[in-house]
Amino acid sequence: MSTDRHSSRLPARRDSKGCADEGYAKHQATTDKQSKQTESADMRASSPEPETKQMLRLIFSHEDGGVLIGKNGRHITKLKESTKTSWFISRNTEDCADRLVVLRGSASELASAVHALAQHLNEQATDSKPNDKSAQLPTLHFLFPVKSIGSILGPGGANISKKRADLDINWLHIFHDAVPFTSERIVEAKGTPSALEAVTSWLLQTTMPDLPSLQQTAAPYCPVKNGLHKMLVQERQHASSDSRSPTDRSGRKRSLSSFECDTYRPATDSSRDHHKRPRRSSDNSNERSRRHMPASQSSSKHSSCEEKMVVPDSVAGRIIGRNGTHLALLQDKSGARIELSPRVPSMQDRIVTISGRTKQVHDARRLVKDCIRKFASTGA
């Protein structure tokens, strides 16, 4: 018993073979650990980097808001569940302002979301107008910062001209002017869902990597009542003045919304004649006096016009005056109507719209310029 007790306290003996086995086991464990670290590093290097999140802004008319959301949010819920993007739609307002749709996600996710959105609009248009194939093609209006439009157009518009043919899109157009009081321009596209998906991928690829920073610094569009409708009418008038008919590949005029194909038609001569008053004998004398009046004097006396001026926001308050007294004084002196655009926090300028007869507009413009020089010299 004593021998066993003392022997248990002695350290265990190890032969040379046991020491070799223990050293080999440690070396093997170190080698396995290094190999696992190398494999994990190789896997991280070979795995694709996650795509950066981007933002895509679209504008729709107020009438299209119900088609996008659906009863009890049924449509928008379906779109959110079928895509991996984050959806935001501006709320419905009392003045029936436009609806703004903001999508967030990677470039591929945004393109897929546009495809799903276009497919949904196509289905809704098919239900409302099953016999009109052209009206079933959805029209989307993207909002891009003004500084990113150059990369989309390319030198002399070469990029967009090439993509119109390569992407098989029915209509691809960039609005001539920026959205009023913002630093964004509208890119209008019309076609099949697959074509619109391809256009979205190309737009995001062309404007990267500067698009996120430009979107943060740009003055965004805030929805207003009939804003999109007015911009479409203005763009159509601008295109007609340049002798370019705003038609798509099918020969139809561009629609004013995604689902309606209305065209802007000024009042015809027949409709004006219907409301004419009976001709009086005094009209003959007036006509004879105008006939002998110089053409320049006659046209300047009776023609009306409208001009816009850009004034610094720092002097806009002085132009208006307390309770609008100074602005009313300018209108009384010139006889023209003078209006100032609402103040936007991120904009340093205000738009002054002057309307009236030609001489009245000329006088009002001179008075406003005098006010700007006067206020600038006094340090306002």
Side-chain angles (χ1 to χ4, degrees):
M1 294 292 294
S2 61
T3 305
D4 296 338
R5 186 169 56 253
H6 290 291
S7 62
S8 62
R9 296 178 181 176
L10 295 176
R13 295 183 179 179
R14 299 179 181 177
D15 54 4
S16 60
K17 184 177 180 180
C19 293
D21 293 341
E22 185 177 358
Y24 176 78
K26 291 181 179 180
H27 174 72
Q28 187 67 23
T30 304
T31 304
D32 294 342
K33 184 177 180 180
Q34 291 178 352
S35 62
K36 290 181 179 179
Q37 292 176 353
T38 304
E39 290 178 0
S40 61
D42 294 340
M43 290 179 62
R44 287 194 300 268
S46 60
S47 60
E49 297 182 358
E51 297 184 62
T52 57
K53 298 295 183 180
Q54 303 181 37
M55 180 176 65
L56 191 64
R57 291 163 52 85
L58 298 96
I59 178 176
F60 291 87
S61 64
H62 178 265
E63 292 76 11
D64 299 340
V67 180
L68 293 172
I69 299 176
K71 187 176 182 179
N72 297 326
R74 178 179 55 190
H75 294 165
I76 188 60
T77 302
K78 180 180 178 181
L79 290 172
K80 290 180 179 179
E81 293 176 351
S82 61
T83 60
K84 298 180 180 180
T85 57
S86 172
W87 290 73
F88 167 79
I89 299 182
S90 59
R91 65 177 62 184
N92 188 16
T93 58
E94 296 180 356
D95 58 349
C96 301
D98 295 335
R99 307 303 289 269
L100 191 66
V101 177
V102 181
L103 305 176
R104 295 182 184 272
S106 62
S108 57
E109 293 172 351
L110 293 177
S112 301
V114 170
H115 183 277
L117 176 61
Q119 186 68 34
H120 170 71
L121 299 179
N122 194 4
E123 294 174 357
Q124 298 298 318
T126 304
D127 296 339
S128 60
K129 296 183 179 180
N131 298 326
D132 193 350
K133 299 297 182 182
S134 178
Q136 296 174 10
L137 294 177
T139 303
L140 299 181
H141 299 92
F142 302 91
L143 289 170
F144 278 88
V146 173
K147 293 184 179 180
S148 65
I149 296 298
S151 59
I152 299 176
L153 287 172
N159 289 351
I160 194 169
S161 299
K162 184 176 182 298
K163 289 301 176 180
R164 283 171 180 159
D166 296 346
L167 300 177
D168 194 26
I169 192 75
N170 287 62
W171 177 259
L172 184 60
H173 173 69
I174 298 178
F175 277 34
H176 183 267
D177 298 322
V179 180
F181 315 121
T182 71
S183 54
E184 290 183 314
R185 286 173 69 176
I186 294 180
V187 178
E188 187 180 41
K190 177 180 180 180
T192 61
S194 300
L196 292 175
E197 180 182 7
V199 167
T200 304
S201 299
W202 172 70
L203 290 174
L204 294 174
Q205 182 181 2
T206 305
T207 54
M208 287 297 289
D210 300 330
L211 182 60
S213 59
L214 293 177
Q215 287 176 337
Q216 292 179 358
T217 57
Y221 169 70
C222 297
V224 296
K225 182 179 181 180
N226 295 330
L228 179 60
H229 178 86
K230 294 177 181 178
M231 287 182 285
L232 289 171
V233 172
Q234 183 180 0
E235 183 67 17
R236 183 169 301 143
Q237 291 175 342
H238 184 275
S240 61
S241 64
D242 289 347
S243 300
R244 293 194 300 267
S245 177
T247 56
D248 54 20
R249 287 169 50 184
S250 61
R252 297 178 61 93
K253 291 203 172 185
R254 289 179 289 157
S255 77
L256 291 179
S257 69
S258 303
F259 313 107
E260 298 296 332
C261 193
D262 302 328
T263 54
Y264 175 77
R265 298 185 180 91
T268 58
D269 295 337
S270 59
S271 61
R272 287 195 295 265
D273 294 341
H274 179 71
H275 298 285
K276 278 185 176 180
R277 62 174 175 82
R279 189 177 182 86
R280 299 173 182 173
S281 58
S282 59
D283 295 339
N284 297 328
S285 60
N286 294 334
E287 184 176 356
R288 284 193 299 270
S289 62
R290 287 194 300 268
R291 190 179 303 169
H292 296 288
M293 187 182 298
S296 60
Q297 183 180 357
S298 176
S299 60
S300 62
K301 182 178 179 180
H302 297 281
S303 60
S304 59
C305 61
E306 180 179 291
E307 290 190 9
K308 295 182 183 295
M309 297 176 57
V310 179
V311 301
D313 184 55
S314 57
V315 301
R318 298 287 297 273
I319 295 175
I320 297 174
R322 180 174 296 180
N323 298 327
T325 54
H326 191 263
L327 183 62
L329 179 62
L330 295 178
Q331 294 184 117
D332 293 338
K333 287 184 177 180
S334 62
R337 181 179 179 84
I338 306 174
E339 296 178 341
L340 275 78
S341 63
R343 185 177 184 181
V344 180
S346 57
M347 298 291 288
Q348 298 180 353
D349 298 325
R350 302 275 288 272
I351 305 297
V352 178
T353 304
I354 307 174
S355 57
R357 300 292 176 87
T358 304
K359 186 178 184 306
Q360 295 173 346
V361 172
H362 181 271
D363 294 341
R365 184 176 68 247
R366 177 178 53 81
L367 292 174
V368 172
K369 288 184 177 180
D370 292 342
C371 291
I372 295 174
R373 285 192 291 266
K374 177 183 176 181
F375 298 150
S377 62
T378 57

